[in-house]
Amino acid sequence: MSLRFLKRAAIAAFLLGAASAASAATIVVGGKNYTEQQLMSEMTAQLLKAKGFDVDKRAGLGTAPLRQAQENGQIDVYWEYTGTSLITFNKITDKLDAAGTYAKVKELDAAKGLVWLDPSKANNTYAFAMRAADAKAKNIVSISDLAAKINGGDKLTFGSNAEFYARPDGLKPLEDSYGFSFGRDSVKRMDTGIVYQALKDGQVDVGLVFATDGRIPAFDFVVLKDDKGYFPTYAMTPVVRKQVLDANPQLAEILNGLSAKLDDATMAKLNASIDVDKKTVEEAAAGFLKQQGLI
């Protein structure tokens, strides 16, 4: 056996080992505890696995614990919303447009070792919704209309998750901005997913919803116009720890490719396939990734 052959064999073995090591890199994917976030963590996990990564998926976390886990190095990547980082994590109260919001959080979070990749066109902002028939009967189109009704003596109940009830861009500041108050007795706190069913069943008159939720059209809800522009843009964006991205630069191209496929209509349809059509999160994620040629 020639020396040249042995050298080639050694080089080939080294390259094969390097490739195996690269494919064995484990990425910890995080997610929050509602449908859209469960879907995005599952899509991310399936996509990265298809690209040769080992994945440890940790979904079902609250917003604050998830962010803390990423800052602490326990979560490598998850999909966050620009408005959440701006207000909740970075305490910025300035009113910024979509581009300004993204630029600001990208700059501020870079100092914390976090990289915001390309934002999707999915703006999952908070919104207030009513049953369409009720909104029409009461002539309520906007949140200002709702405020006027309540200030005029109408007693309307509001369904909200506990997080929005307490967060700095949540209920109390919104009421202050619009000059009204539901009143403590008229606010019912419940899990995010239950709000939709409670609104549909008439247990509350107004519900806190996410703009890209597929149950809005499926349940014949109407979203009230945020006519004072209270809510910032919540562009859904993959956020990766810089240390992990530096070690795995291909993550940017992979995740940006997925981000480019997402907009409001797409997310509403995907969310509805789970919440209304009762597909599993795994089925919905795999179906979309295959349909888009991503895996």
Side-chain angles (χ1 to χ4, degrees), residues 67 81-91 105 109 116:
R67 167 68 175 220
Y81 305 93
T82 52
T84 298
S85 180
L86 184 75
I87 296 173
T88 304
F89 303 148
N90 289 296
K91 314 302 181 187
V105 299
D109 284 347
W116 284 70

Side-chain angles (χ1 to χ4, degrees), residues 19-235:
S20 298
S23 67
T26 298
I27 305 298
V28 183
V29 176
K32 303 184 190 183
N33 55 358
Y34 52 88
T35 299
E36 180 166 281
Q37 281 280 313
Q38 291 168 345
L39 174 65
M40 291 311 304
S41 62
E42 180 62 24
M43 278 209 285
T44 302
Q46 290 189 22
L47 179 59
L48 293 182
K49 285 178 183 177
K51 301 299 183 181
F53 291 94
D54 286 337
V55 175
D56 179 3
K57 190 181 76 168
R58 302 179 190 176
L61 300 174
T63 296
L66 180 56
R67 167 68 175 220
Q68 192 63 50
Q70 189 176 46
E71 288 190 19
N72 291 341
Q74 298 164 302
I75 297 292
D76 295 328
V77 58
Y78 80 97
W79 295 72
E80 188 51 273
Y81 305 93
T82 52
T84 298
S85 180
L86 184 75
I87 296 173
T88 304
F89 303 148
N90 289 296
K91 314 302 181 187
I92 303 298
T93 57
D94 299 343
K95 293 290 185 182
L96 302 174
D97 61 13
T101 299
Y102 173 76
K104 193 67 175 177
V105 299
K106 187 177 179 70
E107 172 196 346
L108 293 173
D109 284 347
K112 302 169 186 176
L114 304 179
V115 179
W116 284 70
L117 299 179
D118 293 351
S120 72
K121 293 180 181 177
N123 176 23
N124 195 11
T125 184
Y126 281 120
F128 281 11
M130 295 180 66
R131 294 178 295 279
D134 282 1
K136 184 176 181 180
K138 295 179 182 296
N139 196 28
I140 297 176
V141 175
S142 66
I143 300 179
S144 286
D145 294 338
L146 174 68
K149 289 291 184 182
I150 292 174
N151 289 336
D154 284 18
K155 190 173 178 62
L156 299 174
T157 55
F158 176 64
S160 170
N161 63 31
E163 185 174 296
F164 180 77
Y165 183 83
R167 36 186 297 164
D169 58 343
L171 180 59
K172 185 63 170 66
L174 180 140
E175 289 176 328
D176 291 344
S177 178
Y178 277 94
F180 80 105
S181 174
F182 282 108
R184 178 174 293 184
D185 293 343
S186 293
V187 177
K188 298 184 179 182
R189 283 174 281 180
M190 58 191 75
D191 289 343
T192 299
I194 297 175
V195 172
Y196 296 86
Q197 195 63 45
L199 183 58
K200 181 185 178 187
D201 293 344
Q203 297 172 21
V204 295
D205 300 305
V206 184
L208 176 73
V209 298
F210 293 111
T212 57
D213 198 292
R215 286 168 289 190
I216 294 172
F219 291 172
D220 197 24
F221 296 160
V222 61
V223 170
L224 304 185
K225 183 179 180 182
D226 177 18
D227 51 305
K228 290 193 175 182
Y230 173 79
F231 291 117
T233 300
Y234 288 86

Side-chain angles (χ1 to χ4, degrees), residues 228-242:
K228 290 193 175 182
Y230 173 79
F231 291 117
T233 300
Y234 288 86
M236 187 172 67
T237 308
V239 183
V240 189
R241 290 200 301 119
K242 184 177 187 300

